[in-house]
Amino acid sequence: MSKKLIALFVTLMMVISMVAGCAPAAPVEEPVVEEPVVEEPVAEEPVEELVAEEAGAYEIPQGDWVIGLSNSYYGNTWRKNMVDSFTRVAEEAKAKGYIKDYIIQNGDGSVNAQIAQINSFILEGVDAICINAASATALNSVIDKAVEAGIPCIAFDSTVDNANAYCMDFDNGPFYYRMGDYMAKQLDYKGNVVVVRGVSGSKPEQIMYDAYMQVIEEHPDLKVIATVLGEADATVTQEELTKILPSLDKVDMVFNQGGDTWGIIQAFEQAGLEVPLMSGDNSGEFIKWWLEQENYDTLSMRCAPCCASAAMWTAISILNGEDVPKMLPLGLSVITREDAPLYADLEAGVIAGADWTYEQVMDEIIIPARG
């Protein structure tokens, strides 16, 4: 793949991306955006118990807030990284007095379990709830109940279709369409494709799948010969692929969603087959393997799990009276082959990305979203 193709792909994705998210995983040049001038709030009278501490160019008042995290699913590396990111910034906020405490509840992927989580948060009287949702619509009633009780709900990553909630979402559709088209072009838009789907029932999974299927529909010489449910997990993906590989014709390409790359690699290598073209997922395992290949020409792209830290800071800004729009777009992180050596030391089980700061959330998400 020529550098010209890489530059074209990255440029296209920068056009679709409204905001760069989670401390970009690669030093991709971003468009210059003129941000509106924001006047510093002036306190009418200083109140002793609301002593403010500096956070970069902003001041965060001391708060007695308790913030809950309702995570619908904890069964893959990405979700564990996500919870870790939330925990790190919550501990920081607690140590500095920005919040009183935080509570984390992890579910089993079912809607009923998450409804129970949110109901328990309402009963406990938390001040805000960050939600990685099991369904885009099935939580609407309990979210409405929380909002009516004065508890703002911030849905992120796997978001909800509810006007009462704040939604922090990745622009997955255009990104994954571009990724699918980029890979298919390398095969002259023909060949056998295996589709590996992600977390069952989640909103982004369906969006990514639909984007890939659009590429398939536009090019009749691309043929889907199998679809497996990988649940964005390497172990599950490897098991499901191992079951079907002996019965398949040659696989030219895999349309995958991330969290599954190491499972795909293991399944094909253990079957004695060449690993087909696929998208990387910014994981330590994939990047290490990628760097060992001489001619494996792809891109690595994924939403970074540190979006949970952005959700945490957003909850604090809402509770402190900031003007926060209901829709808050995030951007995906892209790593090119040229940039991959920068991540050579990334450990297994870790996904590229860095926790957000309060200042970054204000400057890169909330203020631009105000328009």
Side-chain angles (χ1 to χ4, degrees), residues 13 21 35 50 57 63 78 80 114 116 156 173 196 243 253:
M13 296 213 292
E35 297 180 350
L50 293 180
W78 194 96
K80 291 173 183 176
Q114 191 161 36
F156 68 99
V196 179
K243 294 175 186 177
M253 181 167 56

Side-chain angles (χ1 to χ4, degrees), residues 77-98:
T77 299
W78 194 96
R79 290 295 181 108
K80 291 173 183 176
N81 276 221
M82 181 270 290
V83 171
D84 288 346
S85 177
F86 183 94
T87 302
R88 285 191 297 268
V89 296
E91 284 290 338
E92 176 190 345
K94 184 177 178 180
K96 292 181 177 179
Y98 303 153

Side-chain angles (χ1 to χ4, degrees), residues 24-322:
V28 179
E29 184 177 351
E30 297 183 5
V32 176
V33 179
E34 291 188 5
E35 297 180 350
V37 176
V38 181
E39 294 184 359
E40 291 289 333
V42 179
E44 295 179 1
E45 290 186 16
V47 181
E48 188 171 355
E49 40 283 39
L50 293 180
V51 178
E53 291 193 21
E54 291 189 4
Y58 298 91
E59 292 184 347
I60 308 176
Q62 302 286 279
D64 202 30
W65 313 118
V66 177
I67 298 177
L69 169 63
S70 173
N71 174 36
S72 63
Y73 181 66
Y74 194 62
N76 61 42
T77 299
W78 194 96
R79 290 295 181 108
K80 291 173 183 176
N81 276 221
M82 181 270 290
V83 171
D84 288 346
S85 177
F86 183 94
T87 302
R88 285 191 297 268
V89 296
E91 284 290 338
E92 176 190 345
K94 184 177 178 180
K96 292 181 177 179
Y98 303 153
I99 64 173
K100 178 181 178 181
D101 208 353
Y102 64 96
I103 305 169
I104 296 173
Q105 293 197 37
N106 295 307
D108 59 6
S110 69
V111 168
N112 288 339
Q114 191 161 36
I115 289 174
Q117 287 178 1
I118 298 172
N119 272 322
S120 72
F121 281 143
I122 295 171
L123 289 173
E124 291 178 59
V126 303
D127 297 289
I129 306 173
C130 298
I131 301 171
N132 200 325
S135 166
T137 57
L139 303 178
N140 279 346
S141 293
V142 73
I143 288 174
D144 290 342
K145 181 180 176 182
V147 173
E148 288 171 6
I151 304 171
C153 293
I154 302 93
F156 68 99
D157 177 43
S158 183
T159 59
V160 295
D161 297 329
N162 187 321
N164 287 324
Y166 296 86
C167 287
M168 306 183 73
D169 209 353
F170 297 98
D171 203 7
N172 286 302
F175 270 81
Y176 277 84
Y177 173 83
R178 296 291 185 187
M179 188 71 241
D181 185 74
Y182 171 85
M183 292 192 293
K185 187 174 183 178
Q186 293 191 60
L187 301 177
D188 294 324
Y189 296 104
K190 57 186 177 183
N192 292 333
V193 182
V194 169
V195 177
V196 179
R197 301 197 63 165
V199 178
S200 301
S202 71
K203 183 177 180 180
E205 193 286 328
Q206 187 64 52
I207 291 171
M208 288 183 267
Y209 174 77
D210 290 344
Y212 277 145
M213 289 305 98
Q214 183 179 345
V215 176
I216 295 291
E217 292 168 5
E218 292 174 355
H219 303 285
D221 290 332
L222 291 172
K223 180 182 178 183
V224 176
I225 59 173
T227 299
V228 300
L229 300 177
E231 298 293 347
D233 180 78
T235 301
V236 174
T237 298
Q238 181 179 347
E239 290 173 352
E240 294 303 311
L241 283 175
T242 299
K243 294 175 186 177
I244 65 170
L245 283 181
S247 64
L248 298 180
D249 294 333
K250 182 179 183 296
V251 180
D252 300 297
M253 181 167 56
V254 177
F255 277 172
N256 59 309
Q257 297 187 11
D260 46 23
T261 57
W262 187 237
I264 295 168
I265 291 165
Q266 292 289 94
F268 278 87
E269 288 186 343
Q270 289 179 10
L273 300 171
E274 181 180 354
V275 178
L277 182 63
M278 65 176 169
S279 169
D281 61 1
N282 294 4
S283 66
E285 294 92 330
F286 174 78
I287 291 175
K288 181 179 179 180
W289 176 87
W290 192 17
L291 291 171
E292 293 171 352
Q293 313 307 307
E294 291 186 4
N295 298 301
Y296 196 83
D297 213 359
T298 189
L299 293 169
S300 187
M301 177 184 77
R302 202 174 186 192
C303 53
C306 59
C307 60
S309 61
M312 177 68 183
W313 290 125
T314 298
I316 290 174
S317 68
I318 293 167
L319 292 171
N320 287 329
E322 286 286 351

